[in-house]
Amino acid sequence: MIYHITDNLSKAIPLADIPLVEYAALYHDLEQRLQDERYHVAHYFARLEEGQLRFYLILLDDKQHNILLSSHALDYYDEVTLPSLTALHPALHPFEREIAELFSVKFGSMPWLKPLRFSADRLNRNSTIDNYPFYHIEGESLHQVNVGPIHAGIIEPGAFRFICNGESVLHLEIALGYQHRGLEREFSNDSNRLRQTLLAENIAGDSAVSHASAFALAIEKLTDFTPSEALIIERHIAQELERMAMHIADTGALCMDVGYQLGQVACEALRTMTINTTQAWCGNRFGKGLIRPMGTNKPLNSAKIDMIRQNVAEIARRYEEVRQDIKTSPTLLARFEQCGNVGRAEMLRIGGVGMAARASNAPRDIRLSHPYGLFGKELQHESVIKRQGDVMARLMVRCREVLQSAEYIQQLLNLYSTATATQQPDYEAKLTPEALSLSLTEGWRGEICHVAITDKQGNIATYKVKDPSLHNWLALALAVRSEGISDFPICNKSFNLSYCGHDL
Amino acid sequence: MILPKIKVLLSHGKQNIPDLNKVELSEEFRGRPELTITDSTEELEAAAALCPTKAITTSPFTLDLGRCMFCGECALRAPQNIRFTTDYRLATTRREALVITPETRQVEFHAEDVDDKKSKLFRSSLKLRQVSAGGDASTEMELNATGNVNFDFGRYGVEFTASPRHADGVVITGPISANMAEPLQICYDAIAEPKLIIVCGTDACSGGLFANSKAVNREFLTRHKVDLWMPGAPTHPMTFIDGVMNYLGRKKR
């Protein structure tokens, strides 16, 4: 057997249980397996272990709801060339690029061997972000447009290079890494668990709850802790509030970019209401301070439950009016429809995840395929799927998900009982030594995957984070092909990807 | 179609905050902490040891807001010593003023530090260029919010602009990643004199969680004098609005 089979609810896996196989065996298995859309790779990374470079692969089986783990190794000084998996399945490009950047591993016939994020730990110090090797096309009728790294609005940095044929975009390349803070390394630099929790909250500020939840789950799997139902429900409510807030914000941003002020300001006000609900619960508009490993400092009480119930109902009511308005405004539809298309086959090929994938009829949704918490139990989740794969489809997925999340929050509040004893967070709990713990959650953008590997003393030796943006940036680049360059802003907003989540 | 639009308008009514000087935040909000010395320092020592950015010193007892992530965990460990208030008026002209002591009853705003020329010139119109240099998007979103329909800071002539050529200053968020060090400098150089530097968020004030990361390069702040320091994780829109209004001499703390 070349895989160890587990699932999203199981405890951490002892490192000794993870099969160490020949690369050729894994390569041939993945070559076949990844042709079936039920499989996709959640993470693939390398780390140094006693003089060798060990590669860990985490494969998800959406149909059987299983997680398949495997690994292969290279002697650190081996100069072998590994045949590239990206050449067969482009979805693996960010993983192979990261491994090549950090360890100078050679991948044979890798079609897009470019630096991923110019990590502070990269081996080649001559490779710097200001000499990123942009793709180049010669031609009399072509011109290049460079945007960034600093963009026009108040937004994170990234360099976009368009190759245009007149007004229409022939090719877009996105160079990232400007936001790189050395985040993954900080997890193992200091064993202060509270500090690690705050790091998780700061992976991407707009997904603070989702990333902190993934961290908390990864830690809890390394202990014998079982969360109470109340704690599980609180985490769900916080995550659905975050989903609502960001989907509403992006609805407003899309309206702004087509000059529709009413939609913009209505959504601004609704987002304020949503994040102020989170603030009234936990003191922070982004839910920072709310999610803690093995407990909470901010349990719900009856006053807060009533406040959330009322606010969420009112937000849903008003947002539904905004949605009806958008759907019946021909000038908006003219901009949103048939713009920024990414087809289903293309989305699956590049490994797109989350709401962007669902808008292209690619059913990637961790809540359904690898349920956590109450999903698959008290919460019977149904994915919102659209077929068209255009800006409008992504907007409509957002709209439906806001209303769905509002519905879930009401259901969860009905299940919540204030009678349950509150669990306090525990920052001292001993972790299982020499084990691999992984957690998957569905943030508002999509699949979030955290992996923690502990050493002999039970400290975190390696922490790996995957934000859905890692996959979906390529989807944006493909969406704008053959669109007018003036449609780039709405294509961009329809994805709203994270720069810091990618750059780490 | 006009009917759905009327519905949206009616449902929302007026959304702007009528008087920005009278804003009070929810009681859960963690703003300026108040410190109290007690005979036993046991709890305080535990809180200081847990602090993820080592913002607390025990002798003398101080708390550096420029490093504080406002997680509030210290106040749970040492409730006798540390209590977070809802006071969002945290911006100041001096980095040292962010270090608070048991005597601190408000974050001092040293009006004497303000360059008269700048505050006069920018009093009724201040255009700012925001640069995120490793920020996690939360402070950035809060800065966006200062201009939204609720806060509407534009009513005082304070707005964010796209081009540094049109700007009177730069607002920096994030710990300043090494990969952004050069673009930040280029952007700053493109702004005409006289110009402001505002650092926004705990990450920007001290590096925050990334203060010791080798992926961060904070030389920019040693080369240039900062006009306004604004802590917060993220900085609340009201902290930003209050700080700028104080700087422009349109408000006194």
Side-chain angles (χ1 to χ4, degrees), chain A residues 178-179 205 272 285 321 329 427, chain B residues 11 73 134 136 142 150 177:
Chain A
Y178 293 93
Q179 292 285 73
T272 305
R285 307 216 299 169
E321 290 177 356
S329 296
Y427 304 124
Chain B
S11 274
E73 299 273 348
D136 75 347
E142 291 297 52
N150 306 106
S177 50

Side-chain angles (χ1 to χ4, degrees), chain A residues 30 34 41 44 57 85-86 89-97:
Chain A
L30 286 173
L34 288 175
V41 175
Y44 177 41
L57 181 107
L85 281 160
T86 308
H89 302 290
L92 276 97
H93 81 100
F95 303 125
E96 286 192 343
R97 285 166 65 191

Side-chain angles (χ1 to χ4, degrees), chain A residues 128-145:
Chain A
T128 58
I129 202 155
D130 51 358
N131 62 21
Y132 179 89
F134 278 105
Y135 185 68
H136 193 71
I137 311 176
E138 292 284 335
E140 273 190 7
S141 61
L142 303 180
H143 68 280
Q144 292 194 6
V145 180

Side-chain angles (χ1 to χ4, degrees), chain B:
Chain B
M1 306 299 124
I2 195 74
L3 271 177
K5 296 185 200 316
I6 294 170
K7 255 190 180 173
V8 171
L9 274 171
L10 284 179
S11 274
H12 281 84
K14 269 195 180 169
Q15 284 290 331
N16 70 315
I17 299 166
D19 187 349
L20 287 177
N21 291 319
K22 291 195 181 139
V23 173
E24 294 295 330
L25 299 181
S26 118
E27 58 180 33
E28 283 285 340
F29 178 76
R30 291 181 293 279
R32 177 181 53 81
E34 283 188 351
L35 312 183
T36 312
I37 296 180
T38 49
D39 291 338
S40 159
T41 57
E42 206 177 312
E43 287 182 340
L44 180 59
E45 304 274 352
L50 184 65
C51 179
T53 48
K54 300 277 167 276
I56 303 169
T57 63
T58 51
S59 56
F61 182 18
T62 67
L63 197 159
D64 182 357
L65 293 182
R67 293 162 88 168
C68 178
M69 297 297 293
F70 296 85
C71 63
E73 299 273 348
C74 54
L76 297 168
R77 296 295 171 296
Q80 308 284 329
N81 302 106
I82 304 169
R83 183 179 73 89
F84 280 83
T85 71
T86 60
D87 183 7
Y88 54 78
R89 298 164 188 88
L90 307 176
T92 181
T93 50
R94 291 183 198 170
R95 178 67 180 85
E96 310 84 75
L98 293 178
V99 181
I100 60 166
T101 67
E103 284 77 50
T104 309
R105 282 295 167 266
Q106 61 169 18
V107 175
E108 285 303 323
F109 187 90
H110 296 276
E112 67 272 22
D113 295 351
V114 175
D115 182 342
D116 275 353
K117 192 177 163 194
K118 289 186 198 173
S119 67
K120 259 192 200 124
L121 269 172
F122 302 145
R123 183 173 289 240
S124 50
S125 167
L126 176 65
K127 301 286 175 269
L128 295 164
R129 172 64 248 196
Q130 202 276 327
V131 177
S132 168
D136 75 347
S138 55
T139 308
E140 289 78 353
M141 289 177 81
E142 291 297 52
L143 289 172
N144 262 321
T146 61
N148 75 11
V149 63
N150 306 106
F151 294 100
D152 186 23
F153 200 18
R155 72 180 95 167
Y156 291 105
V158 183
E159 282 169 332
F160 288 91
T161 179
S163 169
R165 296 286 189 205
H166 301 157
D168 306 312
V170 62
V171 182
I172 303 167
T173 56
I176 311 189
S177 50
N179 289 341
M180 267 308 281
E182 194 189 358
L184 170 63
Q185 184 65 52
I186 294 171
C187 175
Y188 179 75
D189 290 343
I191 301 173
E193 296 280 359
K195 51 189 164 185
L196 286 181
I197 297 179
I198 301 173
V199 296
C200 204
T202 293
D203 281 359
C205 288
S206 66
L209 293 166
F210 305 99
N212 298 317
S213 168
K214 63 177 180 172
V216 158
N217 176 355
R218 296 176 56 77
E219 280 170 29
F220 180 87
L221 295 179
T222 56
R223 283 196 300 269
H224 305 284
K225 188 187 160 292
V226 172
D227 294 280
L228 268 177
W229 301 88
M230 298 185 176
T235 308
H236 195 278
M238 283 313 302
T239 305
F240 180 81
I241 290 169
D242 169 75
V244 172
M245 291 297 272
N246 270 284
Y247 188 88
L248 297 176
R250 301 180 67 167
K251 190 177 173 184
K252 290 256 181 313
R253 190 165 294 166

Side-chain angles (χ1 to χ4, degrees), chain A residues 328-387:
Chain A
T328 52
S329 296
T331 47
L332 299 182
L333 299 183
R335 291 294 307 276
F336 294 153
E337 284 182 337
Q338 296 295 307
C339 174
N341 281 64
V342 184
R344 173 186 153 86
E346 203 166 35
M347 193 54 101
L348 287 169
R349 221 169 99 78
I350 62 164
V353 292
M355 53 128 304
R358 296 196 286 278
S360 296
N361 199 15
R364 296 276 186 239
D365 193 337
I366 295 297
R367 291 172 288 179
L368 201 61
S369 59
H370 302 276
Y372 54 98
L374 297 187
F375 287 119
K377 297 174 193 158
E378 284 86 345
L379 267 186
Q380 285 301 328
H381 177 62
E382 237 177 89
S383 294
V384 179
I385 308 270
K386 295 279 167 189
R387 287 215 322 277

Side-chain angles (χ1 to χ4, degrees), chain A residues 248-377:
Chain A
I248 293 171
D250 288 334
T251 309
L254 277 167
C255 289
M256 177 180 76
D257 277 0
V258 294
Y260 184 53
Q261 214 212 0
L262 179 64
Q264 179 200 337
V265 295
C267 288
E268 281 176 358
L270 287 173
R271 170 176 176 264
T272 305
M273 230 173 129
T274 318
I275 60 180
N276 281 353
T277 303
T278 307
Q279 177 175 260
W281 175 7
C282 75
N284 184 292
R285 307 216 299 169
F286 294 81
K288 291 182 179 180
L290 185 51
I291 308 294
R292 291 288 177 263
M294 311 175 75
T296 177
N297 293 324
K298 304 285 174 192
L300 287 172
N301 56 33
S302 55
K304 286 179 179 179
I305 289 174
D306 289 345
M307 180 270 302
I308 294 174
R309 212 188 272 286
Q310 283 173 18
N311 287 3
V312 166
E314 180 63 10
I315 294 161
R317 185 188 71 79
R318 290 197 208 168
Y319 185 75
E320 171 61 15
E321 290 177 356
V322 175
R323 187 177 78 95
Q324 290 298 343
D325 177 33
I326 291 172
K327 281 184 72 168
T328 52
S329 296
T331 47
L332 299 182
L333 299 183
R335 291 294 307 276
F336 294 153
E337 284 182 337
Q338 296 295 307
C339 174
N341 281 64
V342 184
R344 173 186 153 86
E346 203 166 35
M347 193 54 101
L348 287 169
R349 221 169 99 78
I350 62 164
V353 292
M355 53 128 304
R358 296 196 286 278
S360 296
N361 199 15
R364 296 276 186 239
D365 193 337
I366 295 297
R367 291 172 288 179
L368 201 61
S369 59
H370 302 276
Y372 54 98
L374 297 187
F375 287 119
K377 297 174 193 158

